[in-house]
Amino acid sequence: MNGYYLQLVYGLEVTLSLAAAALLLGVTLGLLGAALGLSRFAFVRNSVGVLVSFIRALPELLILFFIYYGGAELINALVGHYVNISPFVAGVIALGVVFGAYATQVFHGALMAVSHHQIEAAAALGFSNKQIFFLIYLPQAWRHALPGLGNLWVTLLKDTSIVTLIGLTDMMNATKLAAAATGQPFNWYLLVSGIYLFITSTSEWLLKRYTSTESRSC
């Protein structure tokens, strides 16, 4: 029985690593998408809007399968031989892309909440567009974006379970194997439910505490 618990701990490590990597990718893509969405070129703004809407319209599972199976086929066509895509890498890309699509909207709203008078003042003082974005826009927008990003993070944690379908030994996969081997599905799924509940509740508590600290420091 101890072997199944150890397997569950390993699955938890994989789940948290997957979520953290997808979060990093998703925040990066979200910031990039929001910045491009503020471009003075209508073509760039419209292209970002169409791409974000397209990704948000697709089921996450479909995106995962497309990257894991379709990506391998595409690489095979390009290089001329079969290249195996790691389930972990496919999961990070799929979840990161979906997170990034939603984070783009969050960051866009947060950037729009920054007073335009500050931007005009910075431009009048000779700040470059890069300086305005990183020194004026981003620090203030981050505080506005935190609640929305926190909700996306909780959703991301739960959505990591879909990687079970491509063979990654995450927490759900380890639980399924333990439940099948021991014939005690209720006990194992109840245990993993408690673990998910603890992780998401702790994440929400930390986010609220950090947000309140940021509010007091302003």
Side-chain angles (χ1 to χ4, degrees):
M1 186 68 74
N2 289 336
Y4 296 120
Y5 287 118
L6 291 176
Q7 191 175 34
L8 184 61
V9 171
Y10 172 75
L12 174 60
E13 293 177 359
V14 173
T15 294
L16 293 177
S17 299
L18 176 66
L23 173 67
L24 181 61
L25 175 61
V27 168
T28 302
L29 293 177
L31 276 173
L32 179 61
L36 293 176
L38 296 175
S39 171
R40 64 178 182 271
F41 300 107
F43 173 76
V44 175
R45 296 196 306 270
N46 294 336
S47 298
V48 171
V50 170
L51 182 59
V52 168
S53 298
F54 176 74
I55 294 174
R56 293 178 61 179
L58 298 178
E60 294 178 2
L61 185 59
L62 177 60
I63 296 176
L64 177 64
F65 283 168
F66 178 78
I67 292 174
Y68 184 63
Y69 297 110
E73 185 176 345
L74 178 61
I75 295 175
N76 181 36
L78 292 175
V79 302
H81 60 86
Y82 180 75
V83 176
N84 186 36
I85 297 180
S86 164
F88 184 87
V89 172
V92 169
I93 295 175
L95 294 173
V97 165
V98 173
F99 187 101
Y102 285 94
T104 295
Q105 299 296 322
V106 173
F107 279 122
H108 184 268
L111 290 172
M112 295 300 292
V114 178
S115 173
H116 191 66
H117 297 295
Q118 298 184 45
I119 310 305
E120 293 176 344
L125 290 172
F127 281 57
S128 66
N129 290 334
K130 183 179 180 180
Q131 289 175 317
I132 290 174
F133 183 80
F134 285 102
L135 299 179
I136 308 296
Y137 259 131
L138 196 55
Q140 297 183 71
W142 182 254
R143 289 193 289 269
H144 292 294
L146 270 179
L149 293 177
N151 291 332
L152 291 179
W153 163 249
V154 171
T155 301
L156 173 64
L157 279 170
K158 295 180 289 186
D159 287 345
T160 55
S161 59
I162 66 173
V163 298
T164 300
L165 298 176
I166 58 173
L168 185 64
T169 309
D170 67 323
M171 188 163 57
M172 278 302 301
N173 201 342
T175 303
K176 182 176 68 174
L177 294 175
T182 61
Q184 298 176 341
F186 180 82
N187 294 340
W188 285 102
Y189 287 124
L190 181 62
L191 174 61
V192 79
S193 297
I195 295 174
Y196 273 115
L197 180 61
F198 174 77
I199 296 172
T200 54
S201 299
T202 302
S203 297
E204 290 177 347
W205 178 79
L206 290 174
L207 177 66
K208 288 179 181 179
R209 182 162 184 171
Y210 180 76
T211 303
S212 61
T213 302
E214 285 287 305
S215 300
R216 288 196 297 269
S217 64
C218 295

